[in-house]
Amino acid sequence: MLESVIPWLLAGFIAVLLAGMLRRIRLWRAGQPEKVDLVAGLMAMPRRYLVDLHHVVERDKVMSNTHVATAGGFVASMILIILVHGFGLDSTILAWALLATTAMMFVGATFVYRRRVNPPSRLSKGPWMRLPKSLLTFAATFFIVTLPAAGVLPEGFGSGVLAFILLAGIVAGLGEMLFGMGWAGPMKHAFAGALHLAFHRRSERFGGGRSTGLKLLDLDISKGQTLGVAKPADFKWNQLLGFDACVQCGRCEAMCPAFAAGQPLNPKKLIQDMVVGLAGGTDAKYAGSPYPGKDVGNATGSPVEVITEGLVSQETLWSCTTCRACVEECPMMIEHVDAIVDMRRFLTLEQGSTPGKGSETLQNLIATDNPNGNDPQARGWWAADQNIPLMSEKKEADVLFWVSDGAFDMRSQRILRSFVKILKAANVDFAFLGDEERDCGDVARRLGDDATFQSLAKRNIATLSQYKFKRIVTTDPHAFHCLKNEYPDLMEDSGLLKNGWEVLHHTRLINELVAEGKIQLDALTSAGTVTYHDPCYLGRYNGEYDAPRDVLKAMGIELAEMERSGFRSRCCGGGGAAPITDIPGERRIADMRMDDIRETGADLVAVGCQQCTAMLEGVVEPRPEVQDIAEIVAAQLVEIEQPSESIAKEVA
Amino acid sequence: MMLHSKLSSNPAKNYTVATLVSVGKHPKSGRPRRSDQDSKALELALNMDNRSVHVIHAGDSSDPLRQSVLREYLGMGLERIDVTRQNANSDAVPALVERLKMLQADVVLTGSRAESGEGSGMVPYLIAQALGWPMVPAAVEVTAAGDGEFEILQALPRGQRRLLKVRAPFVASVDSAAAESRQTAWASGQRGQLQEMAIGSNPDEVMSQVTVEPARKRPKRIASAKKAKTAADRFKAATAKSASKGGAILVKESAEEKAQVIYDLLVSQGVINKKK
Ligand code: SF4
Ligand code: SF4
């Protein structure tokens, strides 16, 4: 009896699945057009899943194996079920294979089950608690149902009460796996996730690449477009697809500094709210951690309603430091920061509602090219006693030193001077722009004002293209990121790109100088325990983890690493214009980072960013000392004999 | 918020507020910007209930940089700005008066002093004179009190405030102590219209004879540091209002007598030289 019902059940559930999928695809297509190579994406998808995604999932070995067993077991089982039970192929081999795959899935599912016994708070509950039971039911039922086909049990086994139990199991299993996949159950992630990998907006991220620069905003409003994302339907279609891939694992939440600080942001909830928005409805069914300080159940949205009028509050969007910890951690490779900045763009460019000192900062950037409204003609003053050649006079140099807005800040000037001392000691042929430099546009861009970013960037590019240099070096990771990853979008018709656009962080250059023997460093023995804080815009944004550590090692420093270091480094709280918008929380992110530092017993924390320096030094004493690597290096420089040629020049 | 402002602007507009805006000058970079006081005046106008707001600019707006400043005003949520284009070095007052007469404005709000050009602070007075309206300086709040009356909160030195009741029409200049102006939204600034008005320009006799140079901020003279036990005492000593000595209050005297007293004071302070 069972054998005759199963094909109909299968056909029915598959039809429902397909209908659900079509509906879901329609929801994504409400988004804005974005060019993606569909065929190439689909072809690349298995590799992206098996290699790139697993690279991320593998950080949790048990979970990775669990997923391989469960998902692999399910996909193989499903194919075999259709063959064996759907088409009724009478093959013992296939039946045995099906027994094997369901068994494998069952084993995987028991691990899923175990993890759900005492789930950590980052995991969503609700239907996700049901999932392991459904997986077990699915695997067990089809295992038993297949036994007769494999010849283990006699044909006709499974009648009467048992048949009804098995039938219930089949319906429950297929219901979760197929109906749920098409109709927004937890299994939706498999379908949306696969397509998300295929049509990802940053395909460069696969195959070990990196893609972190924000996308250029088209400022043309002649056709009546709104700038930035006001409603869910303003996202690109593949961004909407990406939101749907979320498995609510909460890894992003566990890493988010704003969430930990009790600010009203939880990246997982944000993505789930985007899902609510794209499908329409409320967040009442959301079963994970809320935005700190905000109750769940009050958010409503639809693809055509303004997000900040009922779905997500503005403070949520402004709490983000754009540290990318969530993106780095997300096993589904979802792009939280892109989404947040897209929505900020609407708030700033269309509504003029940037909070805190945002408006003032943007006005200053527009009228003075620096965020604090300093006299642009005073930008070079810090270097009055430094005797650095000006690009406008020298026209050509090996290295162009990009100073950034630290030029106006007394604390940052110490870092700048130290770096100049190093460059001089190594006889590097360098020059700077002096008053011709402008803010790189980082802050304006993270505040959502792409108009001001583009205006600053274009003028900087015009200035830069007047001069000849081999590479740009800067002590500011934010400028580093903008120049390296975001300016090229605006440089297509400038010669700079063609000449090989190379931008370095100062730690990289220092490391080179040490390796080439251009500078020699004394061992640093008096500093006590030293740890290193990875700036987000240097590490996660640019993958520069080694150069700073190598430089410290060259001074004989053995780092006492923090638990959260390297790609898992915790933000200092200074990025994404967060100190400017200043959304209140329960703690300060900088204090939490200082606690991480204290845990290592460090007496000194080395950093590679003036912003991190300012944030960490803002923590009340007593606390470890904070120094930029340039400062540490400058103090350990060993005077070496200058080559006679340059001495001669000096004398002359 | 949005809902509220929509509701409040829907009922019949009871009166017309004209705000005059100029192109300012950033104190550090010297670049054109939204003038601080003018944008505060516009902010004041936008916050009044049941009003229709007209924003007027008279000046040389051919320069794209100056135009982008006007767009910053538009970005405060305006649909358009009336631009009466004036040649460089022309006197904007006659053009403004002509436009205001056409508009039949009830209330005219301006900044107290332009950030560039002559910056004499005379424009609101000259306009009031030409229209025959009262002029209230240093407004920080204006609210309609009904029946054509308005309450104006006026800023006095040292943070003091005075509430005045004024019957429209009138001109009021807005003090720097008024509420900060709202943020400008770039996109709506681009969408707004700069509506050119054909009103002739009048050459400014004075401006054609002078050269303008940027004002320098003079150091403020503070009372010389007194010996005091605590920092708070020193602060008080340096900032306390010095009790005014001498002086006279002239109310009933004739205009000539009052003028004589002012004239004598100016001479004694060396502001002007005594007529030979
Ligand atoms: S970028 Fe950083 S602060 Fe922003 S949501 Fe992600 S983890 Fe949180
Ligand atoms: S966004 Fe990514 S990391 Fe966060 S819960 Fe969803 S899948 Fe997990």
Side-chain angles (χ1 to χ4, degrees), chain A residues 258-338:
Chain A
F259 179 78
Q263 288 172 274
L265 169 63
N266 173 351
K268 175 173 89 172
K269 173 79 163 67
L270 183 80
I271 298 300
Q272 283 313 305
D273 282 347
M274 296 301 105
V275 173
V276 168
L278 79 93
T282 78
D283 68 340
K285 289 211 198 80
Y286 173 73
S289 323
Y291 297 125
K294 296 208 184 243
D295 292 335
V296 171
N298 306 322
T300 57
S302 82
V304 293
E305 279 173 69
V306 175
I307 293 170
T308 45
E309 289 169 15
L311 190 56
V312 176
S313 74
Q314 299 198 9
E315 309 94 82
T316 294
L317 301 177
W318 294 111
S319 295
C320 174
T321 68
T322 68
C323 73
R324 270 186 93 80
C326 48
V327 183
E328 181 73 40
E329 210 64 30
C330 178
M332 303 307 282
M333 308 187 100
I334 293 168
E335 297 282 347
H336 313 65
V337 176
D338 283 353

XYZ file of all heavy atoms in Angstrom, chain A residues 258-338:
587
model
N 29.006 46.101 18.028
C 27.898 46.973 18.417
C 26.877 46.182 19.234
O 26.341 46.674 20.230
C 27.247 47.575 17.176
N 26.634 44.946 18.814
C 25.714 44.093 19.563
C 26.249 43.864 20.972
O 25.528 44.003 21.964
C 25.534 42.754 18.835
C 24.622 41.795 19.542
C 23.250 41.946 19.473
C 25.143 40.749 20.294
C 22.404 41.061 20.126
C 24.303 39.858 20.959
C 22.932 40.020 20.868
N 27.539 43.540 21.053
C 28.140 43.272 22.359
C 28.105 44.509 23.242
O 28.026 44.412 24.466
C 29.570 42.780 22.186
N 28.155 45.688 22.616
C 28.154 46.920 23.406
C 26.750 47.324 23.809
O 26.561 48.346 24.465
C 28.807 48.045 22.602
N 25.764 46.538 23.400
C 24.396 46.870 23.780
C 23.804 47.999 22.950
O 22.824 48.619 23.337
N 24.397 48.260 21.807
C 23.782 49.229 20.885
C 22.675 48.503 20.108
O 22.729 47.283 19.969
C 24.840 49.790 19.930
C 25.805 50.742 20.612
C 26.950 51.130 19.693
O 27.948 50.450 19.612
N 26.766 52.224 18.997
N 21.702 49.240 19.594
C 20.534 48.559 19.025
C 20.791 47.912 17.669
O 20.069 48.162 16.711
C 19.504 49.689 18.908
C 20.322 50.914 18.782
C 21.561 50.701 19.578
N 21.812 47.104 17.559
C 22.119 46.443 16.282
C 22.420 44.973 16.516
O 23.146 44.621 17.446
C 23.329 47.118 15.619
C 23.950 46.406 14.415
C 22.961 46.300 13.268
C 25.203 47.130 13.931
N 21.829 44.129 15.693
C 22.171 42.724 15.656
C 22.158 42.346 14.183
O 21.110 42.367 13.548
C 21.127 41.925 16.446
C 21.339 40.420 16.298
O 22.151 39.971 15.494
N 20.591 39.650 17.063
N 23.327 42.040 13.616
C 23.370 41.816 12.164
C 22.451 40.688 11.704
O 21.881 40.754 10.618
C 24.843 41.489 11.884
C 25.494 41.282 13.206
C 24.660 41.968 14.238
N 22.280 39.670 12.555
C 21.392 38.574 12.164
C 19.942 39.068 12.079
O 19.255 38.818 11.097
C 21.487 37.436 13.171
C 20.492 36.316 12.896
C 20.696 35.119 13.787
C 19.892 35.259 15.055
N 19.922 34.023 15.864
N 19.536 39.805 13.100
C 18.159 40.334 13.096
C 17.974 41.275 11.907
O 16.921 41.298 11.269
C 17.901 41.075 14.410
C 16.571 41.830 14.480
C 15.432 40.903 14.768
C 14.150 41.541 15.251
N 13.434 42.387 14.312
N 19.009 42.047 11.613
C 18.906 42.973 10.488
C 18.628 42.210 9.195
O 17.741 42.581 8.418
C 20.193 43.791 10.350
C 20.140 44.827 9.234
C 19.381 46.053 9.698
C 21.529 45.230 8.786
N 19.381 41.132 8.976
C 19.173 40.348 7.755
C 17.767 39.740 7.772
O 17.064 39.738 6.758
C 20.250 39.247 7.623
C 21.648 39.879 7.508
C 19.968 38.354 6.428
C 21.843 40.801 6.334
N 17.339 39.254 8.934
C 15.989 38.682 9.018
C 14.919 39.750 8.773
O 13.890 39.464 8.182
C 15.779 37.995 10.372
C 16.460 36.637 10.452
C 16.179 35.777 9.232
O 15.043 35.529 8.874
N 17.236 35.343 8.551
N 15.171 40.956 9.226
C 14.213 42.030 8.951
C 14.166 42.339 7.458
O 13.116 42.700 6.916
C 14.577 43.289 9.746
C 14.157 43.167 11.209
O 13.393 42.233 11.521
O 14.586 43.994 12.032
N 15.313 42.212 6.798
C 15.311 42.409 5.344
C 14.458 41.329 4.685
O 13.764 41.571 3.703
C 16.740 42.351 4.794
C 17.658 43.466 5.283
S 17.061 45.113 4.864
C 16.471 45.674 6.421
N 14.512 40.095 5.242
C 13.688 39.013 4.702
C 12.209 39.337 4.922
O 11.385 39.152 4.030
C 14.073 37.665 5.354
C 13.111 36.566 4.922
C 15.501 37.293 4.994
N 11.893 39.837 6.115
C 10.511 40.261 6.378
C 10.107 41.316 5.350
O 9.022 41.263 4.771
C 10.379 40.835 7.809
C 9.044 41.540 7.979
C 10.533 39.730 8.837
N 11.008 42.241 5.097
C 10.701 43.307 4.149
C 10.474 42.775 2.746
O 9.534 43.181 2.072
N 11.323 41.863 2.316
C 11.203 41.416 0.921
C 9.979 40.537 0.712
O 9.406 40.489 -0.375
C 12.493 40.730 0.451
C 12.807 39.282 0.828
C 12.314 38.339 -0.248
C 14.301 39.103 0.996
N 9.559 39.831 1.792
C 8.394 38.967 1.647
C 7.120 39.664 2.129
O 6.023 39.243 1.781
C 8.603 37.680 2.421
N 7.273 40.700 2.946
C 6.113 41.385 3.517
C 5.650 40.666 4.769
O 5.636 39.438 4.821
N 5.321 41.426 5.809
C 4.852 40.789 7.042
C 5.449 41.442 8.268
O 5.847 42.612 8.224
N 5.509 40.683 9.351
C 6.065 41.223 10.592
C 7.174 40.314 11.092
O 7.378 39.221 10.570
C 5.005 41.300 11.713
O 4.840 39.983 12.256
C 3.691 41.796 11.188
N 7.886 40.780 12.126
C 8.977 39.979 12.671
C 8.507 39.133 13.856
O 9.309 38.637 14.623
C 10.138 40.886 13.099
C 9.770 41.743 14.298
O 8.560 41.921 14.547
O 10.681 42.250 14.979
N 7.187 38.950 13.983
C 6.662 38.254 15.155
C 7.209 36.834 15.276
O 7.372 36.326 16.376
C 5.140 38.229 15.100
N 7.512 36.202 14.144
C 7.956 34.811 14.201
C 9.457 34.693 14.431
O 9.980 33.586 14.570
C 7.590 34.097 12.898
C 6.098 33.845 12.756
C 5.849 32.563 11.956
C 4.421 32.517 11.426
N 4.289 33.345 10.198
N 10.147 35.807 14.458
C 11.608 35.752 14.634
C 11.934 35.204 16.019
O 11.404 35.677 17.023
C 12.181 37.160 14.467
C 13.656 37.275 14.790
C 14.614 36.749 13.927
C 14.091 37.914 15.948
C 15.959 36.859 14.212
C 15.432 38.039 16.234
C 16.363 37.500 15.368
O 17.697 37.619 15.656
N 12.808 34.205 16.061
C 13.060 33.520 17.328
C 14.538 33.572 17.714
O 15.097 32.598 18.195
C 12.574 32.087 17.251
N 15.163 34.713 17.465
C 16.560 34.862 17.857
C 16.728 36.041 18.792
O 15.746 36.613 19.266
N 17.996 36.423 19.044
C 18.239 37.576 19.915
C 17.722 38.836 19.238
O 17.859 38.999 18.032
C 19.728 37.764 20.181
O 20.359 36.528 20.309
N 17.150 39.740 20.011
C 16.636 40.989 19.430
C 17.762 41.995 19.202
O 18.920 41.715 19.494
C 15.689 41.494 20.513
C 16.269 40.967 21.779
C 16.938 39.654 21.447
N 17.404 43.168 18.674
C 18.321 44.304 18.762
C 18.364 44.670 20.231
O 17.294 44.825 20.848
C 17.780 45.511 17.985
C 17.624 45.310 16.500
C 16.399 45.537 15.882
C 18.705 44.923 15.718
C 16.244 45.366 14.514
C 18.548 44.745 14.348
C 17.328 44.968 13.759
O 17.183 44.808 12.407
N 19.550 44.800 20.819
C 19.582 45.115 22.248
C 18.675 46.305 22.570
O 18.718 47.323 21.894
C 21.050 45.442 22.497
C 21.784 44.630 21.479
C 20.896 44.626 20.273
N 17.837 46.124 23.570
C 16.972 47.218 24.014
C 15.703 47.377 23.204
O 14.953 48.313 23.433
N 15.465 46.501 22.230
C 14.236 46.644 21.423
C 13.485 45.324 21.419
O 14.067 44.272 21.185
C 14.583 47.042 19.992
C 15.224 48.380 19.914
C 14.958 49.044 18.573
C 15.699 50.320 18.557
N 15.347 51.532 18.474
N 12.191 45.392 21.649
C 11.387 44.176 21.660
C 11.127 43.680 20.247
O 11.029 44.468 19.314
C 10.035 44.444 22.334
C 10.218 44.714 23.813
O 11.235 44.228 24.355
O 9.378 45.418 24.410
N 11.014 42.358 20.136
C 10.675 41.752 18.849
C 9.160 41.764 18.692
O 8.435 41.662 19.672
C 11.208 40.306 18.810
C 10.696 39.574 17.577
C 12.729 40.314 18.832
N 8.714 41.891 17.471
C 7.275 41.763 17.216
C 6.623 43.046 16.742
O 5.476 43.044 16.323
N 7.366 44.145 16.808
C 6.762 45.421 16.417
C 7.125 45.861 15.006
O 6.655 46.896 14.545
C 7.187 46.518 17.391
C 6.881 46.147 18.816
O 5.850 45.546 19.090
N 7.792 46.459 19.727
N 8.002 45.097 14.360
C 8.472 45.535 13.045
C 7.569 45.005 11.947
O 7.216 43.827 11.931
C 9.903 45.063 12.826
N 7.179 45.887 11.040
C 6.427 45.426 9.877
C 7.025 46.057 8.641
O 7.592 47.143 8.707
C 4.943 45.851 9.923
O 4.914 47.277 10.032
C 4.214 45.245 11.089
N 6.874 45.364 7.536
C 7.432 45.919 6.312
C 6.902 45.191 5.099
O 6.235 44.164 5.205
N 7.199 45.762 3.931
C 6.862 45.116 2.673
C 7.844 45.650 1.642
O 8.541 46.625 1.911
C 5.426 45.437 2.277
O 5.387 46.703 1.657
N 7.896 45.000 0.478
C 8.905 45.426 -0.509
C 8.798 46.892 -0.890
O 9.777 47.482 -1.320
C 8.606 44.527 -1.716
C 7.904 43.345 -1.164
C 7.143 43.823 0.037
N 7.611 47.489 -0.744
C 7.444 48.856 -1.226
C 7.268 49.866 -0.108
O 6.900 51.010 -0.345
C 6.260 48.966 -2.209
C 6.569 48.204 -3.488
C 4.991 48.421 -1.568
N 7.514 49.452 1.130
C 7.412 50.409 2.235
C 8.806 50.845 2.673
O 9.754 50.045 2.640
C 6.694 49.766 3.423
C 5.175 49.779 3.278
C 4.508 48.980 4.377
O 4.544 49.423 5.534
O 3.978 47.897 4.057
N 8.911 52.088 3.102
C 10.208 52.604 3.519
C 10.680 51.855 4.764
O 9.948 51.722 5.743
C 10.123 54.126 3.800
C 11.440 54.637 4.342
C 9.740 54.866 2.536
N 11.894 51.339 4.680
C 12.403 50.438 5.718
C 12.462 51.110 7.081
O 12.104 50.511 8.094
C 13.804 49.929 5.312
C 13.675 49.031 4.076
C 14.469 49.176 6.448
C 14.980 48.667 3.431
N 12.898 52.379 7.084
C 13.082 53.040 8.376
C 11.773 53.582 8.942
O 11.778 54.237 9.965
C 14.102 54.183 8.256
O 13.802 54.927 7.084
C 15.499 53.636 8.165
N 10.663 53.303 8.256
C 9.371 53.695 8.814
C 8.599 52.472 9.258
O 7.512 52.180 8.771
C 8.564 54.489 7.781
C 9.129 55.875 7.547
C 8.494 56.560 6.343
O 7.449 56.100 5.871
O 9.086 57.561 5.873
N 9.192 51.710 10.168
C 8.445 50.595 10.714
C 9.172 49.268 10.745
O 8.856 48.405 11.543
N 10.162 49.098 9.885
C 10.851 47.808 9.865
C 12.127 47.860 10.705
O 12.334 47.039 11.589
C 11.159 47.421 8.414
C 11.668 45.993 8.202
C 10.686 44.981 8.777
C 11.882 45.709 6.717
N 12.980 48.818 10.421
C 14.263 48.922 11.115
C 14.431 50.372 11.555
O 14.158 51.285 10.781
C 15.430 48.538 10.171
C 16.769 48.745 10.845
C 15.299 47.095 9.712
N 14.867 50.580 12.770
C 15.016 51.954 13.223
C 16.324 52.544 12.685
O 17.261 51.823 12.368
C 15.008 52.028 14.743
O 16.229 51.539 15.239
N 16.350 53.857 12.610
C 17.552 54.502 12.072
C 18.773 54.233 12.938
O 19.866 54.028 12.428
C 17.325 56.006 11.926
C 16.184 56.328 10.977
C 16.203 57.758 10.478
O 17.161 58.483 10.696
N 15.158 58.173 9.805
N 18.593 54.228 14.266
C 19.770 53.999 15.136
C 20.424 52.666 14.835
O 21.628 52.517 14.970
C 19.438 53.971 16.632
C 18.645 55.096 17.204
C 17.192 54.741 17.222
O 16.754 54.046 18.159
O 16.475 55.141 16.295
N 19.601 51.686 14.490
C 20.171 50.378 14.171
C 21.182 50.525 13.046
O 22.299 50.018 13.121
C 19.046 49.404 13.779
O 18.225 49.181 14.919
C 19.597 48.097 13.282
N 20.789 51.258 12.018
C 21.673 51.393 10.864
C 22.922 52.205 11.200
O 23.989 51.989 10.641
C 20.919 52.042 9.704
C 19.667 51.278 9.245
C 18.951 52.047 8.151
C 20.061 49.896 8.742
N 22.776 53.147 12.133
C 23.918 54.008 12.447
C 24.819 53.416 13.525
O 25.856 53.999 13.861
C 23.442 55.405 12.860
C 22.775 56.144 11.743
C 21.463 56.459 11.650
C 23.388 56.637 10.540
N 21.206 57.116 10.463
C 22.372 57.243 9.769
C 24.695 56.624 10.043
C 22.612 57.830 8.527
C 24.934 57.214 8.806
C 23.901 57.809 8.063
N 24.436 52.285 14.108
C 25.279 51.690 15.150
C 26.472 50.943 14.574
O 27.424 50.660 15.285
C 24.458 50.703 15.992
O 23.457 51.380 16.700
N 26.385 50.610 13.307
C 27.409 49.747 12.705
C 28.727 50.498 12.534
O 28.750 51.638 12.092
C 26.901 49.266 11.350
S 28.095 48.330 10.411
N 29.826 49.819 12.881
C 31.145 50.431 12.691
C 31.750 50.027 11.347
O 32.901 50.318 11.083
C 32.121 50.026 13.797
O 32.406 48.635 13.642
C 31.543 50.272 15.174
N 30.988 49.329 10.534
C 31.452 48.776 9.252
C 32.717 47.951 9.404
O 33.572 47.943 8.530
C 31.695 49.871 8.173
O 32.827 50.675 8.560
C 30.490 50.762 7.991
N 32.814 47.217 10.543
C 34.057 46.474 10.815
C 34.172 45.202 10.002
O 35.219 44.579 9.967
C 34.142 46.149 12.297
S 32.990 44.859 12.830
N 33.084 44.778 9.379
C 33.058 43.582 8.532
C 33.258 42.282 9.290
O 33.496 41.242 8.682
C 34.099 43.674 7.411
C 33.575 44.303 6.145
C 34.600 44.224 5.023
N 34.411 43.044 4.198
C 33.507 42.946 3.239
N 32.721 43.950 2.979
N 33.400 41.837 2.535
N 33.197 42.290 10.613
C 33.356 41.038 11.353
C 32.233 40.079 10.989
O 32.443 38.878 10.852
C 33.349 41.306 12.852
N 31.030 40.635 10.785
C 29.879 39.793 10.440
C 30.077 39.150 9.075
O 29.843 37.967 8.883
C 28.606 40.640 10.455
S 28.739 42.186 9.558
N 30.530 39.956 8.116
C 30.699 39.446 6.763
C 31.764 38.355 6.748
O 31.608 37.311 6.114
C 31.098 40.593 5.809
C 31.202 40.089 4.390
C 30.107 41.737 5.906
N 32.848 38.615 7.470
C 33.954 37.670 7.526
C 33.487 36.331 8.098
O 33.948 35.263 7.704
C 35.054 38.257 8.423
C 36.289 37.417 8.564
C 37.158 37.424 7.314
O 37.285 38.508 6.712
O 37.697 36.367 6.961
N 32.554 36.399 9.036
C 32.158 35.207 9.780
C 31.001 34.467 9.124
O 30.751 33.312 9.438
C 31.748 35.652 11.194
C 31.985 34.632 12.256
C 33.458 34.306 12.434
O 34.323 35.177 12.198
O 33.746 33.167 12.799
N 30.276 35.134 8.258
C 29.019 34.557 7.748
C 29.288 33.375 6.832
O 29.929 33.514 5.800
C 28.223 35.617 6.987
S 26.705 34.952 6.284
N 28.768 32.198 7.189
C 29.005 31.027 6.340
C 28.274 31.134 5.004
O 28.630 30.442 4.057
C 28.454 29.875 7.171
C 27.449 30.483 8.067
C 27.956 31.872 8.367
N 27.273 31.995 4.934
C 26.540 32.137 3.679
C 27.072 33.306 2.860
O 26.502 33.649 1.826
C 25.042 32.315 3.943
C 24.418 31.191 4.755
S 24.728 29.540 4.078
C 23.549 29.504 2.741
N 28.131 33.913 3.308
C 28.782 35.004 2.586
C 27.817 36.144 2.260
O 27.808 36.690 1.159
C 29.457 34.470 1.323
C 30.361 33.292 1.665
S 31.351 32.727 0.311
C 32.902 33.494 0.667
N 27.005 36.471 3.243
C 26.057 37.576 3.094
C 26.794 38.893 3.346
O 27.717 38.950 4.156
C 24.878 37.385 4.068
C 24.074 36.149 3.650
C 23.973 38.619 4.118
C 23.075 35.673 4.669
N 26.378 39.944 2.655
C 27.087 41.232 2.723
C 26.296 42.237 3.554
O 25.559 43.068 3.026
C 27.305 41.772 1.304
C 28.185 40.895 0.436
C 29.669 41.056 0.738
O 30.026 42.015 1.450
O 30.452 40.210 0.267
N 26.478 42.176 4.853
C 25.733 43.064 5.744
C 26.116 44.529 5.538
O 25.261 45.413 5.539
C 26.004 42.724 7.204
C 25.916 41.261 7.525
N 26.779 40.328 7.006
C 25.074 40.587 8.333
C 26.454 39.138 7.468
N 25.426 39.266 8.276
N 27.408 44.770 5.390
C 27.876 46.161 5.365
C 27.343 46.886 4.124
O 26.914 48.034 4.196
C 29.415 46.231 5.435
C 29.892 47.657 5.322
C 29.898 45.612 6.738
N 27.336 46.207 2.993
C 26.777 46.817 1.777
C 25.345 47.259 2.031
O 24.943 48.367 1.667
C 26.777 45.800 0.623
C 28.154 45.635 0.020
O 29.063 46.394 0.408
O 28.334 44.738 -0.830
